[in-house]
Amino acid sequence: MPRALFRWQDATGAAGARPERGRGVLDGLDSVDWRGLEVADRNRSGAEVPKMLRRIGRADATTRQQAVDQAYIGLGDLLLAAEGVTEASTAALPFMVELALDPDTVARPDLIDLLAQLAGDGAAGEGDPGWPAAWQRQWPRLRGLLGDGDPATRRAALRLAADRTADLLERWHAEEDRSVRLTLLPVLGEAAAAEDPAGGLVAEVRAVLEGVLGGEDRLLRVAAVIATAPLDPQAPLRAVPMLLELLTDPAFAPELDALSWCALDREYPYDRDDVTDRIVGVLEHDPALAASFVAGLAAAGAGAGGRTRDAGLRRCALDEGWRLLVDRPGAAAPLLPVAAGMLADPDDDVRYKAVHLLAVLGRRAAPYADRLAALLDDPGESEFFDGTVGDLACWALTRIGDPRALPGLVERLVAPYRDMQGRGYCPSDPRRPDVVDVLRPLRAHAALLLPAVREALRDEVARKGWLVGELREVLRAWGEDPLLPGEEAPYPPAWQPPPPDAEQAEAAVLAFAAGGDRYGEFRSALASLTGHGRRPAPAVRAALAALRHAERRLSPYRDYRAFLDDEETRPAIDAVLALP
């Protein structure tokens, strides 16, 4: 980093080296043999650690933000290792504490966050064995950050005390800043949940939370519901009427948005959507109730119950319905009419998300087929996702099995990608499905669609388009030749592992049911067991029955593919359970 960034002018205007704050402790940097200490990046030297510390110590309000950020990032790269704290982390700790305590240190919350990350790694027993004792020596000084004069620093310091219930309670009783109190309450609840339930600390935390829940501050009441969940999972369920009343109050959103409320694991403040997402998260162990809560949000956003029409609240309700549904199959029944009720919404984004939700539910959306067909030419788009309302309505009809989706389907699917080399998306959000995922299930209509698919394949091959592979995959799934006339095989078939024998398949099922995440092996095991035709052992049958009725999607994905996988996996389980 250029030294010019850290030059200053004295009262006469003469430039010179800026005096370094914390000179005593930073002078001590030279007494450490940094070169002999291990850092996170094996290709770098420990001698870089004191350089980064000095850059942080020299920075002031005139230093460019980019320079400050680079100093903190550089220090983190040296000290945060995947395998835990390093020797250099332990050696740097007292100097980092000194800078954190200095109110003139620029971006102190960033430094405190780095300290908290190191503390977490050290508490896990990973890395340098000298770290725990070094941290204990520094804690009396670090504890003082909980009472620092800067609210942002106090909020950041809560991470350092996240497992110290007594210290958090003391801070609560002394804290007057509302933003710090909002962040503190959920931390306090999490810390108390790890204490002895019969101990006095838990009783005192419960009393604090009950007092806040019955208080006048509406934001603190919402935070108290979140904070109570780790101690009493049923408490948020009892608070649903109050939460709906607050979160759907038109006057509440500006109050919430105006306040800087951050969670410890978030870089940015909460807004109404974030708070709603957190609430649904503590309710989702009861999918039906969580879905009912989402329905209440949607009704309020639509103007029901005397509330003002609020498109933002309707979008939020559909977002939460989607996040709930992608994990919890039991939420489908109550969410289906919620989405259907928004098919004629004036807001494009609302219609897009409502149609998408109906599409992933497949044949369960059949009662709304006529309303979906009326949207086939709807050009409305979402702000962040590709495709139109009409595109998703067409897909929804194919999922239902409605032939109104078939005319022009292949051209509709292929046209948007003719001038594209690929597509980007977030694998946990609503999005237009891939071409292959729309067409592959339509084998019963192959006679009608085949000419258009082959024409599209000819065009893609001629243009060297990126849909060639998908269209060939569709043809294979339909039992058709994936090659064009005169074309040689473009590449050999992908290697497939040999199917497991019956014992291996049973072992794979048990491993998956015990919490494994190898979905491919699990699906292969199901196919193998069905192929062998042998009734599996009682333990395997019990594991499969539990999976069949599990309140989760049987898929590694968190977008529309989760529903497609789930729809294929559950019948495969049924086939194994039905073996004689």
Side-chain angles (χ1 to χ4, degrees), residues 411-426:
E411 174 63 17
R412 180 175 203 143
L413 293 173
V414 172
Y417 302 118
R418 286 210 172 97
D419 297 322
M420 297 171 58
Q421 296 302 313
R423 65 183 298 198
Y425 58 86
C426 176

Side-chain angles (χ1 to χ4, degrees), residues 322 325-326 332 336 354-369 372-373 376 390-406 409 413 431-445 449 553 559-569 571:
W322 162 251
L325 190 61
V326 78
L336 190 61
V355 174
H356 180 272
L357 197 148
L358 290 176
V360 297
L361 290 177
R363 293 189 180 275
R364 301 185 71 160
Y368 309 104
L372 288 165
L376 282 172
D391 293 335
L392 293 185
C394 184
W395 176 45
L397 290 174
T398 69
R399 297 267 292 146
I400 292 170
D402 192 305
R404 285 175 285 188
L406 300 180
L409 174 62
L413 293 173
R431 67 179 177 96
R432 181 169 51 188
D434 293 336
V435 172
V436 64
D437 290 328
V438 178
L439 293 177
R440 185 167 41 197
L442 300 180
R443 183 170 184 172
H445 302 283
L449 299 173
R553 298 283 172 198
D559 56 20
Y560 74 88
R561 293 170 294 180
F563 297 83
L564 306 187
D565 280 358
D566 200 59
E567 290 168 0
E568 293 180 3
T569 302

Side-chain angles (χ1 to χ4, degrees), residues 150-159 177 179-180 183 260 262 264:
D150 174 37
T153 297
R154 296 202 300 278
R155 281 199 304 271
L158 293 174
R159 287 196 66 179
D177 185 276
S179 67
V180 180
T183 308
S260 178
C262 290
L264 295 187

Side-chain angles (χ1 to χ4, degrees), residues 93 123 130-142 163-164:
L93 178 60
W131 173 269
W135 180 261
Q136 285 301 113
R137 286 194 299 271
Q138 294 298 329
W139 173 248
R141 304 183 70 213
L142 286 166
D163 58 347
R164 297 174 182 265

Side-chain angles (χ1 to χ4, degrees), residues 178 211-221 255:
R178 195 181 186 206
V212 176
L213 284 169
E216 297 294 327
D217 191 311
R218 303 195 298 177
L219 279 175
L220 284 175
R221 287 166 67 192
E255 179 183 357

Side-chain angles (χ1 to χ4, degrees), residues 1 6 26 29-30 32-58 70-80 86-89 91-92 95-96 99 114:
M1 185 173 298
F6 300 109
L26 291 181
L29 288 169
D30 296 330
V32 178
D33 180 15
W34 296 99
R35 291 186 180 277
L37 298 179
E38 180 185 21
V39 294
D41 187 342
R42 303 296 174 84
N43 296 319
R44 299 173 67 180
S45 166
E48 294 184 58
V49 174
K51 295 179 182 178
M52 294 298 171
L53 289 169
R54 285 194 171 98
R55 288 177 180 179
I56 293 170
R58 290 169 179 160
Q70 288 176 347
Y72 279 115
I73 292 170
L75 186 61
D77 289 344
L78 290 166
L79 301 184
L80 290 171
T86 64
E87 296 173 334
S89 306
F95 306 105
M96 296 171 68
L99 289 171
L114 178 55

Side-chain angles (χ1 to χ4, degrees), residues 161-456:
D163 58 347
R164 297 174 182 265
T165 309
D167 290 324
L168 293 172
L169 269 171
E170 182 180 338
R171 182 68 246 152
W172 171 260
H173 292 304
E175 186 57 61
E176 296 181 355
D177 185 276
R178 195 181 186 206
S179 67
V180 180
R181 298 189 109 203
L182 283 166
T183 308
L184 173 54
L185 272 179
V187 182
L188 186 57
E190 289 281 356
E195 299 279 353
D196 179 2
L201 285 175
V202 174
E204 190 174 348
V205 171
R206 287 183 182 274
V208 166
L209 295 175
E210 289 172 5
V212 176
L213 284 169
E216 297 294 327
D217 191 311
R218 303 195 298 177
L219 279 175
L220 284 175
R221 287 166 67 192
V222 174
V225 172
I226 296 170
T228 307
L231 292 168
D232 179 6
Q234 299 303 311
L237 309 185
R238 297 190 294 270
V240 163
M242 179 268 287
L243 292 169
L244 275 175
E245 179 69 22
L246 291 181
L247 292 175
T248 62
D249 183 348
F252 185 69
E255 179 183 357
L256 179 59
D257 292 343
L259 187 69
S260 178
W261 176 13
C262 290
L264 295 187
D265 57 350
R266 288 178 58 92
E267 182 178 355
Y268 301 105
Y270 274 76
D271 58 18
R272 181 180 62 179
D273 290 0
D274 297 319
V275 173
T276 303
D277 184 62
R278 190 81 180 269
I279 293 296
V280 172
V282 299
L283 293 175
E284 68 175 334
H285 64 279
D286 186 332
L289 182 63
S292 175
F293 177 77
V294 170
L297 294 175
R307 299 289 191 181
T308 303
R309 285 184 63 81
D310 184 341
L313 190 57
R314 299 196 302 278
R315 289 192 292 269
C316 176
L318 287 171
D319 287 341
E320 292 309 315
W322 162 251
R323 293 182 188 119
L324 187 62
L325 190 61
V326 78
D327 284 318
R328 305 287 186 174
L335 288 176
L336 190 61
V338 172
M342 298 187 187
L343 291 178
D345 197 278
D347 185 271
D348 287 355
D349 209 18
V350 170
R351 291 198 313 283
Y352 182 101
K353 292 174 179 178
V355 174
H356 180 272
L357 197 148
L358 290 176
V360 297
L361 290 177
R363 293 189 180 275
R364 301 185 71 160
Y368 309 104
D370 288 345
R371 292 160 68 177
L372 288 165
L375 297 173
L376 282 172
D377 296 322
D378 189 325
E381 296 179 318
S382 172
E383 182 179 1
F384 299 109
F385 309 121
D386 64 350
T388 66
V389 173
D391 293 335
L392 293 185
C394 184
W395 176 45
L397 290 174
T398 69
R399 297 267 292 146
I400 292 170
D402 192 305
R404 285 175 285 188
L406 300 180
L409 174 62
V410 175
E411 174 63 17
R412 180 175 203 143
L413 293 173
V414 172
Y417 302 118
R418 286 210 172 97
D419 297 322
M420 297 171 58
Q421 296 302 313
R423 65 183 298 198
Y425 58 86
C426 176
S428 61
D429 281 329
R431 67 179 177 96
R432 181 169 51 188
D434 293 336
V435 172
V436 64
D437 290 328
V438 178
L439 293 177
R440 185 167 41 197
L442 300 180
R443 183 170 184 172
H445 302 283
L448 175 64
L449 299 173
L450 192 56
V453 172
R454 290 203 179 279
E455 178 62 31

